[in-house]
Every structure is written in structure tokens, then in C-alpha cells.
Amino acid sequence: MKPLGLPLIFLLAVGVLGVDRNNFKTCDQSGFCKRLRPFKPEKSQYTLNLDTVIVHGNVLSAEVTTANTEAEKKVPLWKYSLTLSALVDGTFRIQVDEADPIYPRYRTQLALDGEPKADGLQLVSKEGGKVTLTNTQGHKVLITAEPLKFEFLDQNGDVAVVINENSQLLIEPLRLKREKNDEDEENAENAVEVEEEGTWGENFKSHHDSKPRGNEAVSLDVSFPDADQIYGIPEHTDKFALRTTTSGEPYRLYNLDVFEYELDSRMAIYGAVPVLYAHGSKRTVGVFWHNSAETWVDVVNYADGTVVSSLVNLVTGGHKRRVDARFISESGIVDVFVMLGNKPADVFRQYTKLTGVTPLPPKFSLAYHQSRWNYVDEADVRGVDENFDVHDIPADVIWLDIEYTDRKKYFTWDSEKFRHPAEMVANLTAKGRRLVVIIDPHIKREAGYFLHEDATEQGLYVKDKDGNIYEGWCWPGSSSYLDFFNPAASKYYSERYRFENFPGTSKDVHIWNDMNEPSVFNGPEITMPKDCRHYKPPQDGQDGLASYWEHRHIHNEYGLWQIRATNEGMLERADHKYRPFILTRSTFAGTQRYAAVWTGDNAAEWGFLQASVPMCLSLAAAGVSFCGSDVGGFFKYPEPELMTRWYQAGAYQAFFRAHSHIETKRREPWLYEPSTTALLRDAVRRRYALLDFWYTLFYEHTLDGTPVTRPYFQEYPNEEETYTIDDQYLLGDKLLVRPVLEAGAKSVKVYLPGRDTNTLWYDVDSYQMHKANGYFNQEVNIAKIPVYQRGGSVVPRRERVRRSSTLMANDPFTLVVALDANNTAQGSLYIDDGETYEYKNNKYIYAKISYEPKQMTYTLVNPSAQFSSRAWIERIVIAGIRAAPRTARLHHGGRSTALQMTLHRGNDVLVIRKPGAPVSEDWSIQFAE
Ligand SMILES: *[C@@H]1O[C@H](CO)[C@@H](O)[C@H](O)[C@H]1NC(C)=O
Ligand SMILES: *[C@@H]1O[C@H](CO)[C@@H](O)[C@H](O)[C@H]1NC(C)=O
């Protein structure tokens, strides 16, 4: 094993350019994908046994059987149990499992944020071979018994989602491996006939997968009538709107450490979130395929011109609008959630109701982060920290990559280079800054390393196929991997984060969990072999294959178990008082409950800057709003123009961190020419000016579960031109961002949505007003970041430059009011202490701000707020004013004060100077002609 690892390390170190596709499987090289992808029977072999249907509470349960016809020998006679449950908020769940498996099939454990809440389910009828059901919201489900099919009807009675329309429901029943000697010759021959090659073992390159359970794949097709586009299933580098896969590879979901991953690709990379959304002008719906095994997804969009027209006509009856998708997973059960929308914001919310929202992040984590592999010692950290002040660039966090450790042993410090970690951290926190350090899930196998010795003695490691401790190769060399499925391992790991167990850390040291796909340099596809064993709680009488899970079952959720344990540890180390910040690379459904995500090891190329926008849009739609890419690119060196454009783009993406590879030239902002440094400084300052806006958006995400970073169609669902736009996006419903993503750009095409509703957009730099009318050309110089504020919105800003966000706590606000065609605007502002959970005890301020032609009001949503702030309103800018008022008076606390106003631009921007209104109390301003 080890000799194999060495050349790979070498390759990684020298940085051979471009992905090595040979390291990763195609569908044809993945046994179950090759086996199931061609499976397209004319008619489903599954039949609902109508006599067995029972509706109890919110659940229909019934038996499903397969016919054993000559034509379809692939599906043997077998019994399955079906449940269909109605859940709150227009969601249904279908589960199909073997009625009597020889041992339990794996059910994904951590994706859901608790047990989904039940809605009422009523049996409407059971006749003519069909069962009709309805939930309390008036959605209907029609189940056809033979061949089995599920149709979900929207509240208008139109078919919105169909399951098994294409008869691709398939569950490979578990079978016992027959040993040749156990059977007489005749039976043995039969067995060989049924069992295809590869059933009990597969090879990929030099790796053998022993497949002790044999074939156990599942598959399901879903059709979306009337859909124009489908989205979701991150993480890929492809477009946001998914493309037809018939003439190429399916989209693959398998968390992998892909070295120098390629662009415009459906290859699997670090994350796998199996949720799909289908959108058209009629409705938006979604499906969540609840499965953590390797998964492939095929897509056919009948309107995209790649499907032969005779087939399009046959399937869609000529009106073309329909998208089909199909999931194929290596193991597990069929477990699918159908979310009936019917607007984009509804499906996004429905998905986060199932898998959870991103909890309110600590405020500093929305500010600027400075990272590099590596800041080499304490003096380096101090130098970087000081240079931000020297160059007047705000920064909140300095990051340490793997080299801070004692030779890659996590929870230790290099005792030469980092001799005074506590003092180093204290020096940062004195300026309101924080430290983030990396902790990976691979553990160095070294005698005397407490973590390795404890994990070995206490049995906390993942086991290999024979039940011995699994050894792989990663940064420290020979490594083993904690088995977080074992509660003792998760607990042990959580406890390592205690301050006394990780000396030098404090509540101001936060955590980066990397390499958690997991990455194994000498493993198949650079990850853990699928036949490795994970802990399963012991149950009476379960032994052999029933006594553990294989890595194949859980692969895509491995990283989620790690960050969950990290989160627990960070909460406990500070008595649940402070909000943890965690960054993860591996991503699965539910990841957003614990961590922010970045798009992994990109490169300093324009293509990767461009890809960061659709990649984060896709993750945000899948619940992960807290997303960003390595600003500047990880590999290679960004020339000044690319670096500038990346900072400008990053300033408007949720997670804003510069990071770079150990072998690239240093590139902290002050290392460029002063003119470039000035542009980088400006981009970072723009971020800080909008920090309270970002913070408010994240707070509101916790209330409604919709993405912070939004595709245009979320807010303008009927505007068809927006459906495929993925180089520009919205922040909340207020700001529109079209970062410059092209080299040498003199102008960019900006799409302004909202034509039908007379929407106005204001350039945030000039307050120039544009009427929404699709694309227009925005001229750009190198300093320009095209950002527009929607008419009808109020955005809070703080303009004073500080060294870090913490030091801005009492700074005054500017409110920018952009008027709509009716001269009105609305906005909100959320403020709290930025780092504790005291906001759950009403210690926060959440205010709604409203502007009407005669008055502006600031009203606390929580009038009994226990939080007060010394911050005040120093300026109100009202853009798009048509008839300027003559007088303005502030009413607050029983007093009334006359305010000073000035007009700017073409007399359409009114500035109220020093209104001096507080943020902790209600106030209003009355305007008079
Ligand atoms: C902390 O700051 C002080 C004062 O600038 C400096 O002398 C000391 O070396 C710093 N300590 C570390 C560990 O960086
Ligand atoms: C203006 O107000 C009218 C009447 O309330 C409303 O129908 C219309 O949508 C509003 N227009 C805008 C741009 O908000």
C-alpha cells in the first residue's frame, strides 16, 4: 500500500497540470451504473397489491410485488414494503424497501434535521386499479397499481411530478452468496445464470472491491411535466441549469478529492447533495433523493434540442415542456421526498424544512478571511496581521493550514514554529480578529501520538474489509480514519476540541475540516475502499454482514458526521455560549446545519472564477447559502487583473476567503502594485460596508429557509429569459450582482429582471436608475463592480473603516432607500452581539424599515428586545425621489426634531444628514411638501 502512495504524493507536490481522469470512474467503470443505466423496460415490473393498502395517520402502507415474467428476468419475484407519507408544507415521502431483507438495508442517518413533521393524509378513493389520496393543502396523489406509478397533482389538479413514469424503479434484492460446495451441481449452475459478473466483486485499476453483500443498487425515475429547466444536485462544475445527459456521462454524486478538477464537467467532486428542482412558468417542484451511497443522475430535457423530435412529440404531446431525471444509487432503499412548491421560494423552504437551515453564523465569519497554505510561523502570522493595518485593509480572520501542526498530528502545534499559540491568538483578538485552524479526519499512525494510541485502544477507527484497522495514505503518511459512526469516536473527537485538550485555542479559534470526503491518496478514486467497515449499533442476533455498515453505504455522509462531531465539540468547549464557525469541503444534504462550504482546490484562471458563481448558486439552492471559492485561485498565481476581479466577486459571495497553494508566489493584497492593492482594499471595504446587510440576510434565512444567494428565477419566476442565467444573481431580494468574470472586459451584459412589474434598479455607485428590461450593457473599468439595488428596497450600510468587524459594533449606519415606481421601499435590519446565543433570549434587534411618500418608519419586530446598541443612523440616502419634500421631522420618544436635507445628482437623490435616530428604538420621519 505505502509504495503506491508515495508516487501520488510526489505528483501532488509537483503539481502536474489538469485532472487525471483515469483516477476516476466513468459510469461504465462503476458496476451498478453500467448495469442499471440501460435498464429501460417497456412497463414497470412492480405492482401495488391493492388489498394490502392501509392508511393510518399520515401514512399509506402497502405491499408491492414484482412479476416474474420471461421478458423481465432481471427482476425476480419479490416482495417490498411501500410507505407514502404526507408531510407538512406540501411535501410527500415515498419509501420502498424489501419486505423481508436478509439483513437491513442502509438508511441514511444524518441528512434530515429530525423526523419530518406529519400532515394529514386522506384516502379519497380506491377503485379502478388506482388509489387517490389528498393532504390538507389540497395536493393529490394518484397511485396506479399496475404497472406501479405515482402522480402528484398540484392544487389546480394538474400533474406536477410523476414517479416511475419511465418504469425505472428498481431495487436489487439482497441475496446470499452461494459457495460452490454448498449446492449440488444443478443448483450451482442456476446460481451462476442469475448472477452477473461482478456481483460479488469488482476491480478498478489496481483496486479490488470485495462486495460482500453483492449487488444491492436502487434506481428511480422522476418526470416533471411543464418544466423548462431543472437545477440542483451539486457539486459539479457544470452550468446551474442541468443539461441532458443522453449523449454523455450522467451527473455523478460521490464525494471525491479531485486534484485539479475540470470545468464544465459532470464528474463528481467534493460534494454530493441529491436534491433536484424543476422550474417552469407553471410551477416549481422538487425531489430529494435521500441516499448517501454513490449516485448517478441522468437528465433529459425535451426542450433543449438534443432529443430527437419524434421522441419529444411522443413523450410531451408536442408541447415540449418536460424534464425527466433518474437516480441510480449503489445501495440503500428507495427513499424520496416530493416537494410540491409551487413557487421557487416554496421548494427551497420545503427542502430546508427537511434538512435544516444554516444557523445564524458568528458575524465575523461573514467578513474577510485571509488564508494560505501556509502562514509558516508566529512571526509570519503577526506580519500578515500587521500588514492589514499598515495597508488599511479590514480583515477578521487569519487561517492556518496543515503545517501549523506537529508533523500533521491534529490537535498539536509545531513546537518550533508555533511556540506561543495562546499569545498569538490573544494578539489577534486584541484587534477583534480570529484564528481558524485546520483539523482533518485522517490520523497519523505514529507510536506515542495520543490520538492514534487512544483511537487504537478504544477501537475508534474505520476497519478494513477483514475487520482490522484500515490504513491509508494522506498528508501525515500512513494514516487511519476516525469512524464517526461510532458514538464513542464522535464523543472522543468532540472532546479533543476542549480548550484543555487543545492548548492554545480559545473561543476565538474556529475550525476548518478538510479532506473529509474522505481523501485517501492511495485509495480507489483517492478515497476509502467501499468495503471498509463502519460501526453499527449492536443488535441482538445480528452478526456477520448485519453487524456493520460498509463504507459504500455511507460514503457521501462521512464528512457530515465529522463536522457534526466538530460542531458538538465547539459548542461544548464553551458551554454552548458561542456560535462555532466550521468550514468543510465534503458536502452532503444537511451540511448547512453545521458548516460553510468552499468549492475546493480551484486554480487562478478566469474559468474557475466564472465557475464559482453557478457552483455557489447550486449549493445555495441545496441549502448551503454559506458558500465561496478560494479568492485568487488555489493553484497558480493570479495576475493583477484576475486577482482584482476575484476580490470584487468574492466581496459579494457569502464566504469570502483568499487562499493559496504552498508552492505559489505569496499574494497578500499589499504584495501587488499599489494601484492593485488599492482595488483589493476597495473590494474588501465594500464587503464591510454591507456586513450588516449580509448578517440580516442570514438571520432571515433562519426564519424562511430560502437562499441568501438567489437565482433570478426565484424572485421573477415567470420571466423565462432568467431560467438559464447563472453569471449574475441576487442577494436576498434587494441587491443584484453581476461580477466582472472576463479578462479585459470593457463592458458586461447585465440582466435586469422584473419588466412585468415595472421594477427599477439603481446602480449602487451612482444611484443611476435603470428600468428593468432584460439585458443592457454596463461599461466597466477595472474599479467597477456592477451591483444594483432594487427600487422598493432599503439596504443598511456602515461606511467607517475599521480593522475588523468587531470594532464596528457601535458605528453609525447609513440607510440607502431605493424607491420603486410608487415611491415606496421596505427593508430590515438585524443586530445582536455577533457571537453568542443570547439572541435566542430576545437579546437582538430586528427592525422593519418602511418608506412611503409622506413618512419613513423604523419599527422593531420584537418590541420587548433585551438588546440595545449605541449605534445610530448617521445618514439616509433616498434614491429615485421625484418630488423632493420641503421639510422632514424625526419623531422619536415623544420628541420631534427638524432634519437637514440636501439634493444630489439630477435632484433625484435626497440625503438626510445626521438624523441621529437610534437603532434600538422605534422612530419615524414625517415629510411635508
Ligand atoms: C504578540 O504581540 C506582541 C506585541 O506586538 C509581540 O511582542 C509578540 O511577539 C506577539 N506574540 C506572538 C506570539 O506573536
Ligand atoms: C404600485 O402600487 C400598485 C397599487 O398598490 C400595485 O399594484 C403595484 O404593483 C405597485 N407597483 C410597484 C412597482 O410596486
Side-chain angles (χ1 to χ4, degrees):
M1 267 193 177
K2 282 165 209 168
L4 252 175
L6 283 168
L8 228 140
I9 292 268
F10 177 69
L11 280 180
L12 288 165
V14 297
V16 173
L17 296 184
V19 66
D20 184 356
R21 280 171 157 267
N22 290 326
N23 280 335
F24 304 100
K25 291 180 185 176
T26 60
C27 174
D28 256 3
Q29 291 167 321
S30 185
F32 72 97
C33 189
K34 181 179 186 183
R35 201 163 66 241
L36 267 60
R37 200 182 188 201
F39 175 73
K40 285 175 189 153
E42 279 190 8
K43 134 179 193 310
S44 178
Q45 298 305 298
Y46 294 84
T47 303
L48 176 75
N49 185 344
L50 280 167
D51 298 338
T52 63
V53 169
I54 298 170
V55 178
H56 181 72
N58 71 321
V59 182
L60 169 146
S61 52
E63 183 186 272
V64 167
T65 52
T66 46
N68 194 13
T69 60
E70 274 303 304
E72 281 297 340
K73 266 205 168 148
K74 278 191 174 172
V75 188
L77 177 61
W78 220 265
K79 280 186 184 167
Y80 302 86
S81 66
L82 162 77
T83 60
L84 181 145
S85 355
L87 304 172
V88 291
D89 204 8
T91 302
F92 290 91
R93 181 184 197 175
I94 295 175
Q95 289 172 291
V96 190
D97 193 358
E98 290 182 64
D100 191 17
I102 50 179
Y103 32 75
R105 300 175 71 109
Y106 185 67
R107 294 176 179 225
T108 298
Q109 298 179 61
L110 282 195
L112 297 178
D113 187 22
E115 198 50 40
K117 292 204 175 60
D119 189 17
L121 180 69
Q122 220 190 334
L123 180 66
V124 177
S125 66
K126 199 173 91 173
E127 56 195 22
K130 281 188 194 223
V131 180
T132 306
L133 303 140
T134 182
N135 67 2
T136 63
Q137 300 195 7
H139 300 109
K140 283 209 170 78
V141 188
L142 256 62
I143 311 177
T144 307
E146 189 182 358
L148 182 62
K149 180 163 98 172
F150 303 84
E151 291 164 280
F152 294 85
L153 277 53
D154 66 17
Q155 286 148 323
N156 299 323
D158 295 329
V159 179
V161 177
V162 189
I163 282 181
N164 207 26
E165 171 90 349
N166 297 328
S167 311
Q168 287 164 318
L169 167 65
L170 182 66
I171 300 172
E172 294 182 323
L174 296 168
R175 280 170 289 172
L176 291 174
K177 186 172 184 176
R178 297 189 188 198
E179 301 301 335
K180 276 206 182 86
N181 299 340
D182 289 355
E183 303 287 335
D184 63 38
E185 273 198 5
E186 207 182 339
N187 279 347
E189 271 168 28
N190 283 343
V192 168
E193 249 176 36
V194 177
E195 288 170 2
E196 293 161 81
E197 195 193 326
T199 300
W200 301 104
E202 277 177 46
N203 297 316
F204 177 63
K205 299 180 73 176
S206 60
H207 301 278
H208 178 70
D209 173 6
S210 65
K211 293 182 69 179
R213 287 166 167 84
N215 294 339
E216 50 175 323
V218 294
S219 127
L220 189 74
D221 66 87
V222 189
S223 297
F224 303 104
D226 310 312
D228 282 294
Q229 299 293 338
I230 65 171
Y231 311 88
I233 54 170
E235 183 177 23
H236 299 98
T237 59
D238 210 10
K239 294 275 179 205
F240 180 40
L242 304 178
R243 298 194 253 211
T244 297
T245 56
T246 1
S247 61
E249 290 284 296
Y251 288 90
R252 188 179 188 206
L253 293 171
Y254 193 54
N255 291 358
L256 291 173
D257 180 3
V258 179
F259 179 70
E260 297 200 333
Y261 63 77
E262 66 181 25
L263 295 171
D264 303 312
S265 172
R266 305 197 280 256
M267 281 175 75
I269 50 174
Y270 318 100
V273 189
V275 61
L276 274 178
Y277 303 102
H279 177 71
S281 53
K282 272 200 171 169
R283 70 182 79 86
T284 316
V285 293
V287 295
F288 168 40
W289 176 249
H290 187 213
N291 191 306
S292 49
E294 178 187 346
T295 297
W296 297 78
V297 184
D298 267 316
V299 173
V300 181
N301 186 336
Y302 291 94
D304 73 4
T306 61
V307 188
V308 287
S309 55
S310 56
L311 181 62
V312 174
N313 289 334
L314 183 72
V315 172
T316 69
H319 92 294
K320 288 195 176 164
R321 296 213 155 123
R322 181 171 127 178
V323 183
D324 289 354
R326 189 234 186 140
F327 294 93
I328 307 173
S329 292
E330 186 172 19
S331 63
I333 64 166
V334 167
D335 187 0
V336 66
F337 293 86
V338 176
M339 303 170 286
L340 291 174
N342 69 343
K343 290 276 176 276
D346 298 323
V347 269
F348 297 147
R349 179 195 65 242
Q350 286 157 355
Y351 175 70
T352 52
K353 273 211 178 142
L354 296 172
T355 62
V357 297
T358 297
L360 186 64
K363 194 171 184 184
F364 78 83
S365 64
L366 292 170
Y368 175 72
H369 302 252
Q370 182 65 46
S371 183
R372 177 173 173 85
W373 176 24
N374 219 89
Y375 290 123
V376 297
D377 56 19
E378 286 173 358
D380 195 2
V381 170
R382 211 171 108 214
V384 171
D385 172 49
E386 282 172 1
N387 266 309
F388 277 100
D389 304 334
V390 169
H391 297 276
D392 244 341
I393 302 170
D396 267 57
V397 198
I398 308 249
W399 289 55
L400 293 178
D401 208 321
I402 48 178
E403 314 296 337
Y404 80 89
T405 58
D406 174 13
R407 291 166 298 127
K408 320 291 189 295
K409 289 181 285 189
Y410 302 108
F411 302 101
T412 71
W413 298 86
D414 182 314
S415 59
E416 286 302 312
K417 293 173 176 153
F418 293 90
R419 298 170 75 117
H420 320 93
E423 189 185 308
M424 176 178 72
V425 172
N427 281 357
L428 291 173
T429 56
K431 296 178 188 170
R433 294 194 177 129
R434 267 81 172 178
L435 185 73
V436 170
V437 298
I438 199 166
I439 299 277
D440 292 347
H442 53 257
I443 305 299
K444 185 172 191 169
R445 297 184 54 81
E446 184 181 278
Y449 175 28
F450 65 91
L451 218 166
H452 174 57
E453 301 212 324
D454 290 350
T456 307
E457 274 166 30
Q458 296 169 33
L460 309 180
Y461 280 139
V462 176
K463 309 285 194 303
D464 69 12
K465 67 178 174 51
D466 302 315
N468 304 312
I469 291 174
Y470 170 69
E471 287 183 45
W473 199 261
C474 207
W475 295 129
S478 178
S479 303
S480 287
Y481 292 73
L482 288 172
D483 183 8
F484 301 99
F485 288 74
N486 180 348
S490 274
K491 180 165 182 288
Y492 174 86
Y493 186 73
S494 294
E495 287 169 357
R496 289 322 97 203
Y497 288 100
R498 289 187 182 190
F499 303 136
E500 67 268 29
N501 289 337
F502 193 2
T505 61
S506 70
K507 72 170 182 60
D508 295 311
V509 178
H510 295 260
I511 300 298
W512 175 14
N513 287 154
D514 192 6
M515 310 295 279
N516 50 356
E517 293 76 23
S519 177
V520 181
F521 294 157
N522 61 341
E525 304 194 88
I526 328 295
T527 191
M528 191 173 274
K530 286 176 167 171
D531 51 11
C532 275
R533 298 182 183 188
H534 290 271
Y535 176 90
K536 182 179 170 190
Q539 269 164 21
D540 285 348
Q542 295 198 344
D543 54 11
L545 290 173
S547 65
Y548 63 90
W549 297 119
E550 284 174 61
H551 188 67
R552 124 182 38 255
H553 303 125
I554 64 91
H555 175 84
N556 286 346
E557 66 174 332
Y558 178 82
L560 178 55
W561 285 77
Q562 185 204 13
I563 58 172
R564 177 181 178 250
T566 300
N567 182 70
E568 188 61 25
M570 291 178 73
L571 287 171
E572 279 175 4
R573 69 178 189 175
D575 294 329
H576 291 254
K577 273 177 73 177
Y578 294 96
R579 294 172 234 162
F581 170 75
I582 302 170
L583 182 71
T584 180
R585 193 170 69 184
S586 167
T587 310
F588 185 57
T591 289
Q592 70 273 12
R593 301 200 303 275
Y594 307 113
V597 172
W598 96 108
T599 61
D601 298 347
N602 59 1
E605 293 171 7
W606 289 92
F608 282 91
L609 169 58
Q610 286 151 18
S612 72
V613 179
M615 287 175 81
C616 281
L617 272 178
S618 184
L619 279 161
V624 185
S625 275
F626 206 171
C627 171
S629 69
D630 278 347
V631 170
F634 179 65
F635 298 113
K636 303 191 180 173
Y637 180 77
E639 295 306 323
E641 186 193 359
L642 176 59
M643 190 63 156
T644 301
R645 292 308 191 192
W646 215 317
Y647 265 76
Q648 293 173 343
Y652 292 90
Q653 293 182 339
F655 176 59
F656 183 22
R657 180 188 74 156
H659 184 53
S660 50
H661 189 279
I662 194 165
E663 284 170 6
T664 58
K665 191 169 140 193
R666 288 287 284 249
R667 56 167 92 154
E668 286 70 39
W670 47 87
L671 297 178
Y672 285 82
E673 289 294 309
S675 59
T676 298
T677 301
L679 293 164
L680 306 185
R681 175 190 300 121
D682 177 63
V684 175
R685 286 183 177 182
R686 282 168 185 251
R687 173 53 164 248
Y688 279 76
L690 283 173
L691 211 51
D692 294 274
F693 174 68
W694 278 100
Y695 198 48
T696 302
L697 290 178
F698 270 87
Y699 174 70
E700 289 174 345
H701 167 82
T702 68
L703 304 180
D704 68 12
T706 64
V708 166
T709 304
R710 298 180 184 168
Y712 287 169
F713 75 81
Q714 180 179 337
E715 298 297 326
Y716 305 92
N718 298 323
E719 209 162 317
E720 282 183 26
E721 301 103 300
T722 66
Y723 297 174
T724 51
I725 292 178
D726 61 5
D727 60 350
Q728 38 201 303
Y729 55 92
L730 303 171
L731 295 181
D733 62 356
K734 296 187 175 62
L735 292 184
L736 181 158
V737 184
R738 195 312 190 183
V740 180
L741 307 167
E742 302 84 10
K746 296 274 180 288
S747 73
V748 293
K749 280 173 73 188
V750 181
Y751 186 94
L752 298 179
R755 190 189 292 130
D756 297 345
T757 44
N758 289 324
T759 304
L760 307 175
W761 293 96
Y762 295 79
D763 186 312
V764 298
D765 298 321
S766 63
Y767 301 118
Q768 187 190 345
M769 188 238 280
H770 300 268
K771 288 190 171 160
N773 191 20
Y775 281 106
F776 85 104
N777 278 320
Q778 169 71 58
E779 287 189 8
V780 292
N781 58 24
I782 187 67
K784 179 72 181 172
I785 315 175
V787 177
Y788 307 84
Q789 184 175 339
R790 181 177 54 79
S793 69
V794 181
V795 169
R797 299 172 58 86
R798 293 213 234 201
E799 310 279 0
R800 304 205 179 172
V801 178
R802 303 280 179 188
R803 288 185 291 189
S804 68
S805 70
T806 318
L807 304 179
M808 296 166 71
N810 295 314
D811 284 353
F813 284 89
T814 293
L815 298 179
V816 179
V817 180
L819 298 182
D820 64 14
N822 291 341
N823 296 311
T824 67
Q826 288 81 41
S828 51
L829 176 61
Y830 176 83
I831 305 173
D832 66 11
D833 65 27
E835 61 173 355
T836 75
Y837 288 100
E838 284 296 302
Y839 70 96
K840 296 198 169 178
N841 302 321
N842 205 19
K843 292 191 177 159
Y844 67 96
I845 293 165
Y846 184 43
K848 295 276 180 192
I849 306 161
S850 171
Y851 181 95
E852 284 160 29
K854 293 221 149 41
Q855 75 165 2
M856 179 169 176
T857 56
Y858 179 97
T859 316
L860 296 194
V861 177
N862 58 332
S864 59
Q866 300 289 305
F867 185 79
S868 81
S869 166
R870 280 189 278 138
W872 52 288
I873 312 293
E874 70 171 342
R875 186 164 40 227
I876 298 171
V877 179
I878 303 161
I881 202 118
R882 286 167 197 91
R886 267 182 205 287
T887 64
R889 294 192 76 83
L890 172 71
H891 297 270
H892 156 244
R895 286 194 308 274
S896 160
T897 332
L899 300 177
Q900 287 186 5
M901 299 181 288
T902 49
L903 275 172
H904 298 263
R905 262 183 52 99
N907 289 341
D908 57 355
V909 178
L910 182 75
V911 175
I912 305 179
R913 290 169 48 218
K914 294 220 164 72
V919 297
S920 306
E921 293 163 40
D922 291 359
W923 49 263
S924 70
I925 294 172
Q926 308 292 330
F927 298 99
E929 299 288 312

